[in-house]
Amino acid sequence: MKVIILAGGGGTRLFPLSRQDYPKQFLQIGGEMSLLAQTVKRFRQRVNPEDMVIVTNQAYFHHVQTELRRWGAERAHILLEPAARNTAPAIALSARYCLDVLGCDPGEALFVAPSDHLVRPEEAFAERIEAAIGAAQTGQIVTFGIEPANAETGYGYIQAGDARDIGFAVRRFTEKPDRTTAESFLAAGGYYWNSGMYAFTIGCLLEEMERHQPDLAEMARSPFDQMLDRFSEAPSISIDKAIAEKSERVVVLPFGLYWNDIGSWDAIFEALPKDAEGNVIEGDCIPFGCRETLLMSHGRLVAGVGLEDTLVVETPDVIVVARRGESQKIKEVVEQLKRRQRREAVEHPKQYRPWGNYTILVDAPGHKVKRIVVQPGQGLSLQMHYHRSEHWIVLEGTARVTIGDEARMIHENESIFVPKSTRHRLENPGKIPLVIIEVQNGNYLEEDDIVRFTDTYGRS
């Protein structure tokens, strides 16, 4: 059995926490582990990391790599999609990877799952995996159906048909319905939310792809390297539309566990623990007479007075306030920000890099101030800037600084100046994170004023 974890999505419904450059699979919801890390942990009950394939793209590669390393799963495989083509091509590419690179045979079972859902309890989830894999090895395509708790319009629905030895035949899939249709599904019974999880053998997947999506099947017959080269030619289509809605081999298993796709702020409110008044309080927040309200701070003090059924999310650069039940519309806010070319729609205030991260503290004409964290054993590229000088002050840890041909060690409460147009490098040779304040001065302070000479991470 191989586990395929889909981690290439870039959703915006959890704005301002999730952004285009830092989507929700990397967020820590309700604990220290990211949603991706929690997903990997769930599957480690059943398989080792080397039997997992994380499908993502180049933009998120270092995020995925950092999460796997942090939680001891660095032996998992990272498969980079050359282009965004939805879930069916991603799964087809994963199957080809398993055949050609991992040496699997067509009878190998694959379990496909999103990287950004919550599932509880984890022990019972392992039992569900066993049931799904057992059914998949009889030649069926297995998906889990989530018993609907309400007439949710943000999920797809699966209508169950006749009972099978395990689960039910699938009568039909329905994409996200309107409120009236969702209420009719709930009243009729026999409908489930679509979990997005699938199990099948590689051979079964390729056979059904041949039958229902021949263009993609033709590409999937190519050796892995050739399929990778041609991947951008693949149709952009979900696994639901490409195969599941058409195949007669699909069965749905009632999931019977807690599941939450964390697809909106309303979903987060439902998932997190609450106080006696039904409030979710995260960070430096003070509620006064609030009920059924979410207050979340990531820096500044947030005080809520007399709020009811309200969502308040604070980040260093954006504050979002919404009525509960309306959070799906946050996606429309992000679209408007993109039309206005606001950087907040794309950039997270904390920018992650393969060596660590930085946060912009001040951004004004002629100067910019950053807080930079370099992880142990990591370092920035040997680089130069034409238009800015830099002044580095070490707050924590020890820095190895190269300026021109000279290298020296800089310790806590010490500083160093980097002139314009001078080759330089910052490295952390120590055992703890290096934290510095960087003060930039110049007439042009954008990130594209970087000339790299050598780079450990292959960036140009």
Side-chain angles (χ1 to χ4, degrees):
M1 170 187 165
K2 297 289 184 276
V3 173
I4 312 300
I5 299 175
L6 304 177
T12 56
R13 288 179 292 174
L14 294 186
F15 179 83
L17 278 194
S18 67
R19 314 280 175 104
Q20 182 175 307
D21 66 358
Y22 197 71
K24 71 169 180 169
Q25 58 264 34
F26 305 116
L27 299 180
Q28 298 170 358
I29 303 295
E32 293 186 353
M33 300 183 78
S34 69
L35 293 173
L36 171 61
Q38 291 180 51
T39 302
V40 170
K41 179 173 177 282
R42 279 198 296 275
F43 284 108
R44 291 188 73 168
Q45 301 176 92
R46 180 62 175 75
V47 299
N48 295 318
E50 52 265 38
D51 291 318
M52 300 182 194
V53 178
I54 318 296
V55 186
T56 188
N57 56 61
Q58 185 63 53
Y60 304 147
F61 171 73
H62 294 297
H63 293 314
V64 172
Q65 191 177 53
T66 298
E67 287 297 304
L68 295 178
R69 188 186 300 123
R70 181 182 180 189
W71 300 104
E74 57 268 25
R75 296 181 66 183
H77 304 268
I78 302 177
L79 176 56
L80 299 181
E81 299 175 280
R85 284 296 181 269
N86 216 316
T87 54
I91 292 168
L93 184 66
S94 303
R96 194 74 253 171
Y97 181 86
C98 290
L99 288 170
D100 294 359
V101 179
L102 302 186
C104 300
D105 62 51
E108 183 90 29
L110 304 181
F111 193 103
V112 179
S115 61
D116 52 6
H117 294 179
L118 288 180
V119 174
R120 301 171 186 149
E122 293 185 353
E123 297 77 14
F125 179 62
E127 299 173 3
R128 300 300 191 276
I129 296 173
E130 293 291 342
I133 292 300
Q137 288 173 333
T138 67
Q140 300 178 88
I141 296 175
V142 184
T143 188
F144 286 124
I146 310 300
E147 293 84 349
N150 52 60
E152 175 62 53
T153 60
Y155 302 148
Y157 283 72
I158 302 171
Q159 184 182 17
D162 298 333
R164 296 282 180 87
D165 291 340
I166 298 179
F168 300 89
V170 170
R171 187 162 294 164
R172 66 168 172 162
F173 285 78
T174 302
E175 279 297 305
K176 300 171 184 177
D178 59 27
R179 174 68 60 183
T180 301
T181 303
E183 289 174 347
S184 71
F185 289 168
L186 207 63
Y191 284 86
Y192 298 87
W193 290 336
N194 185 353
S195 69
M197 291 183 274
Y198 285 95
F200 37 67
T201 64
I202 296 174
C204 174
L205 170 70
L206 296 179
E207 287 171 10
E208 293 303 280
M209 201 167 284
E210 196 79 55
R211 185 172 290 115
H212 302 294
Q213 199 67 37
D215 291 348
L216 187 55
E218 184 273 327
M219 185 177 293
R221 286 195 296 270
S222 306
F224 173 74
D225 288 343
Q226 292 181 24
M227 186 178 181
L228 198 63
D229 290 340
R230 298 179 54 201
F231 191 78
S232 60
E233 303 170 17
S236 181
I237 188 170
S238 70
I239 191 67
D240 296 341
K241 287 192 171 298
I243 294 177
E245 293 180 5
K246 303 170 184 176
S247 174
E248 297 179 356
R249 298 165 73 172
V250 183
V251 295
V252 56
L253 274 59
F255 195 47
L257 304 177
Y258 176 82
W259 172 91
N260 190 320
D261 83 330
I262 310 296
S264 68
W265 282 108
D266 289 300
I268 286 185
F269 179 84
E270 190 274 329
L272 294 179
K274 300 170 180 62
D275 65 15
E277 286 72 39
N279 300 310
V280 173
I281 307 298
E282 294 272 321
D284 190 9
C285 303
I286 302 176
F288 291 91
C290 297
R291 295 185 64 256
E292 302 291 325
T293 287
L294 181 146
L295 298 179
M296 183 176 288
S297 166
H298 292 84
R300 290 167 288 185
L301 170 65
V302 173
V305 180
L307 300 176
E308 187 168 343
D309 292 326
T310 304
L311 306 167
V312 181
V313 182
E314 181 272 345
T315 65
D317 60 341
V318 177
I319 298 172
V320 167
V321 181
R323 183 183 298 278
R324 281 184 54 214
E326 299 288 327
S327 68
Q328 294 281 359
K329 295 180 180 178
I330 288 176
K331 187 174 182 179
E332 299 173 22
V333 173
V334 176
E335 291 304 316
Q336 187 172 130
L337 291 175
K338 288 180 178 178
R339 288 193 295 270
R340 295 183 181 184
Q341 298 183 326
R342 293 290 298 256
R343 65 166 183 80
E344 292 90 345
V346 177
E347 295 181 9
H348 198 276
K350 180 182 284 188
Q351 290 287 300
Y352 291 85
R353 295 294 184 264
W355 42 260
N357 64 75
Y358 70 82
T359 303
I360 297 175
L361 305 179
V362 177
D363 190 355
H367 69 278
K368 183 183 290 187
V369 181
K370 292 181 178 179
R371 182 181 187 270
I372 297 176
V373 180
V374 184
Q375 296 300 328
Q378 304 300 312
L380 283 67
S381 60
L382 180 63
Q383 58 186 248
M384 179 188 76
H385 313 294
Y386 285 114
H387 304 291
R388 70 176 183 253
S389 62
E390 295 172 338
H391 189 185
W392 294 336
I393 305 101
V394 176
L395 301 182
E396 300 175 24
T398 299
R400 181 191 292 119
V401 176
T402 301
I403 300 178
D405 296 325
E406 180 186 356
R408 57 180 291 194
M409 308 298 282
I410 307 295
H411 305 91
E412 293 174 3
N413 203 31
E414 295 177 349
S415 64
I416 195 166
F417 178 72
V418 183
K420 294 180 183 178
S421 303
T422 304
R423 293 190 185 206
H424 61 278
R425 169 178 274 160
L426 175 67
E427 299 171 279
N428 180 1
K431 303 296 184 184
I432 64 172
L434 167 66
V435 183
I436 73 166
I437 293 296
E438 176 182 88
V439 181
Q440 302 177 1
N441 289 97
N443 294 324
Y444 185 82
L445 302 175
E446 299 304 320
E447 290 300 310
D448 57 357
D449 180 24
I450 299 178
V451 179
R452 290 190 176 94
F453 300 100
T454 60
D455 184 69
T456 305
Y457 315 104
R459 298 170 299 170
S460 58

